[in-house]
Amino acid sequence: MQWGTCDCWKLRVPQKESISLEPVHFLQCHSKGNNRDDFKTQLWACVFEPPLDCGTRKDPVVSSSRTAATCGGDSVCLVDCETGIVLKKYKVTGEEFYTVAWTTLTMVTSDGRKKKHNVLAAAGRRGIVKLIHVTADYCYGEIKAHKKPIAMACFSPISETHLFTASYDKKICMWDIGVPDCDYNFKERQLLVLETIATPLRIALVPSCPDRYLVAGCEQGCFAWDIRLDDKQQKNRPYEVEFQFPNDEGNETSNHRVDGLAFLNEDIVVTKSSKTASINLWSWSRSFKQGKGGRRTVQAVILAELEWSSTDLPYLTLSTCPTEEYVFCGDEKGSVLKWPELKANGELLTDVLVNNVVTDPTFTYLVALTDVNIAAIWKKA
């Protein structure tokens, strides 16, 4: 039996540390038509809901959240990771959701009071962003962001209404989604269009300057853009720097697919490619610094390599837990978190890929998403 599992690396100390995680829930909540025999729907993304009392955006307080939003097929689910209960499910017939992202908006109530609410953005094959006010259990609007599928979306950590969408139309758009009034009227604005030479798959704002630069892993390389909102700069912008990485032969190249990208801290970037058997950790500041003086192609200053799978399968996404300095990545075999034997209709489920692995900020819960419509939840012992 071949079960995809989760690889994880602890990067704070040189010695190996054991991780004690207990599998607590295995959910099949994205089934089409609530069909319990649906083991074909692929699950793609998971994000934990931010606590409303998590401090200011400039000085956030890291706290645990037990509610996670997952997406796959035609639905988005909100799951309580402690109990395994599916709190809410949003379905759009004919859609296939690839990405979800949270933001906290300060909305004005009908009696004029200001109150914080979490809003969830979900997008996918149709290129439309759905905006969901989760407390009211209401999808209050949509943004027709792209004419082709949206691979990923993320909100700015310092500007609560600024949303970035990366699409198969080879564009990354920056939106101001506005704040809905008490009748849920809102007005979105497109602020920037970042042009790419290949499909952007993963995007991340640079933690040390999230209002200045965005990095994207694309089908043909890794790039950075200046995203400063300056009236003197053009709205449509080409990339500013392209980063090169060693290929299988050890030669520097920019052409390989970068289908995994995340920041481990304010400076260290973690990237992976399905064409190499390793995950690279590299310095944003030292690499980007080489681009000063007009150079548009620079070598990534690699700090470390993590041994990973030699699979050619793409889109097995990596993630990080910066507060605990962990890197996570699903694969087609795995070697760390073992799965129990799961059966469907009396038969073992085999050849299961882990598409994504995500933890909450305090590493209390870990969620693994598979290509067979199963979301697996572990809890740290």
Side-chain angles (χ1 to χ4, degrees), residues 141-349:
E142 63 180 33
I143 300 173
K144 295 180 180 178
H146 300 269
K147 294 182 179 180
K148 290 191 175 182
I150 296 172
M152 184 179 176
C154 71
F155 279 98
S156 166
I158 59 173
S159 300
E160 61 185 19
T161 63
H162 289 179
L163 174 69
F164 293 84
T165 56
S167 170
Y168 281 77
D169 62 11
K170 299 182 181 180
K171 291 182 175 62
I172 301 169
C173 292
M174 178 181 180
W175 303 87
D176 187 331
I177 67 168
V179 178
D181 61 21
C182 58
D183 295 318
Y184 290 105
N185 298 308
F186 75 102
K187 180 65 176 177
E188 80 277 7
R189 290 187 301 135
Q190 188 184 82
L191 302 177
L192 291 176
V193 177
L194 311 178
E195 299 172 345
T196 72
I197 62 173
T199 301
L201 302 173
R202 307 297 299 175
I203 56 176
L205 295 162
V206 179
S208 60
C209 47
D211 58 341
R212 296 189 64 184
Y213 295 107
L214 176 142
V215 184
C218 303
E219 284 283 4
Q220 296 179 22
C222 185
F223 306 84
W225 287 263
D226 185 336
I227 60 168
R228 285 174 289 185
L229 295 174
D230 188 339
D231 293 337
K232 297 180 180 179
Q233 291 184 301
Q234 58 189 15
K235 180 179 178 180
N236 287 54
R237 299 180 189 177
Y239 68 87
E240 187 159 324
V241 172
E242 180 178 10
F243 302 99
Q244 289 188 322
F245 301 88
N247 58 16
D248 293 336
E249 291 74 37
N251 300 318
E252 297 291 336
T253 179
S254 305
N255 297 323
H256 67 282
R257 177 194 295 124
V258 177
D259 58 0
L261 183 149
F263 275 83
L264 184 64
N265 56 33
E266 287 201 345
D267 186 59
I268 297 178
V269 194
V270 187
T271 54
K272 65 165 278 285
S273 170
S274 57
K275 294 184 179 180
T276 60
S278 64
I279 293 173
N280 290 315
L281 277 68
W282 51 283
S283 168
W284 154 259
S285 59
R286 292 167 61 186
S287 303
F288 185 74
K289 186 178 180 180
Q290 300 176 70
K292 294 182 178 179
R295 290 182 60 193
R296 295 192 71 199
T297 302
V298 301
Q299 294 182 3
V301 179
I302 296 177
L303 307 175
E305 290 188 12
L306 306 178
E307 184 179 350
W308 189 65
S309 173
S310 58
T311 180
D312 289 330
L313 293 171
Y315 314 135
L316 303 179
T317 305
L318 64 80
S319 68
T320 59
C321 181
T323 54
E324 297 294 324
E325 297 189 348
Y326 273 99
V327 177
F328 304 90
C329 191
D331 68 14
E332 87 294 359
K333 293 186 298 184
S335 59
V336 179
L337 299 183
K338 300 299 183 183
W339 297 64
E341 292 186 350
L342 299 183
K343 293 183 178 181
N345 299 324
E347 297 184 2
L348 290 174
L349 290 174

Side-chain angles (χ1 to χ4, degrees), residues 19-39:
I19 303 173
S20 181
L21 292 168
E22 177 186 1
V24 288
H25 306 292
F26 290 81
L27 307 178
Q28 192 183 356
C29 53
H30 289 270
S31 300
K32 292 183 178 179
N34 294 321
N35 181 7
R36 61 181 299 175
D37 294 323
D38 177 6
F39 294 99

